Amino acid sequence: MKYARLTKEQFEELHQEFINFLATQTITADEWNDIKINKPEVAEQELDVFSDLVWEGVLNKVVYIEHISPQQMHLFHLKDDIMHLIAVKLKNPIDLTTTDGFNWLRENLMDDDVEFLQAKKEYSEDKNVDKFQLIQQGGVITKGDLFQYLDRLIN
């Protein structure tokens, strides 16, 4: 398995897509029930393959990922050839994960307690694995509004 198995909730949400996936392999509903009972290891493999296909489709479309922790914010723009990072680091005890902390940052972006860093990094052999690792570490897929705002502000 390349990524991670989808959760039960995600499988339920993608129920029709999973049926279509099985149909592409000419597996009927009755055959699927038989596989689950008599060949659970094959059923597990099918769930893993489907999960990887879903992740691959999602990761191919991801352009922005944000990771916000109490004292730091990492905003990634995932371009075709590189990852562009804007990092925001606080030098005070304000917690960016709270509404008050985030509002403080919005009103005090140019404060001496706010430090901006930028970096660019090339992908490894598989850019989707790199993206997936950012998500596994707590990153959230976004539309990139915050990245774009800060990019205009500091560049």
Side-chain angles (χ1 to χ4, degrees):
M1 171 159 236
K2 189 172 179 180
Y3 302 110
R5 183 175 295 175
L6 299 174
T7 64
K8 184 176 188 251
E9 293 79 14
Q10 290 167 326
F11 271 111
E12 288 169 0
E13 191 72 29
L14 296 168
H15 179 75
Q16 188 58 50
E17 288 82 356
F18 186 64
I19 290 170
N20 294 343
F21 166 76
L22 293 174
T24 64
Q25 300 180 64
T26 64
I27 298 174
T28 66
D30 289 340
E31 289 171 323
W32 176 243
N33 287 330
D34 182 58
I35 289 170
K36 288 191 296 187
I37 294 166
N38 298 314
K39 298 178 185 171
E41 68 285 348
V42 173
E44 297 288 320
Q45 290 171 352
E46 293 295 337
L47 295 172
D48 290 348
V49 169
F50 179 73
S51 294
D52 277 349
L53 285 172
V54 170
W55 274 112
E56 198 72 32
V58 168
L59 295 168
N60 281 334
K61 296 176 185 172
V62 171
V63 180
Y64 295 97
I65 292 179
E66 296 177 1
H67 185 276
I68 301 173
S69 60
Q71 298 306 127
Q72 298 182 37
M73 184 183 304
H74 293 97
L75 310 172
F76 297 90
H77 182 190
L78 306 166
K79 299 179 179 183
D80 286 337
D81 53 344
I82 59 163
M83 291 185 261
H84 180 187
L85 165 69
I86 295 176
V88 179
K89 184 176 179 183
L90 297 186
K91 300 176 192 172
N92 61 29
I94 292 175
D95 186 345
L96 291 172
T97 62
T98 66
T99 302
D100 288 343
F102 196 80
N103 287 339
W104 180 90
L105 177 65
R106 278 195 347 212
E107 296 166 10
N108 297 281
L109 278 171
M110 295 304 157
D111 190 280
D112 288 342
D113 282 339
V114 179
E115 181 180 4
F116 291 98
L117 304 161
Q118 290 191 77
K120 292 185 171 131
K121 179 182 173 187
E122 291 185 9
Y123 294 105
S124 67
E125 313 86 51
D126 190 334
K127 76 168 89 173
N128 282 350
V129 169
D130 296 340
K131 294 175 184 180
F132 184 74
Q133 287 174 344
L134 292 174
I135 293 167
Q136 288 291 95
Q137 295 165 0
V140 176
I141 299 168
T142 70
K143 293 180 181 176
D145 295 339
L146 191 52
F147 179 96
Q148 292 169 24
Y149 175 78
L150 292 178
D151 190 42
R152 284 190 302 271
L153 183 73
I154 62 178
N155 288 318

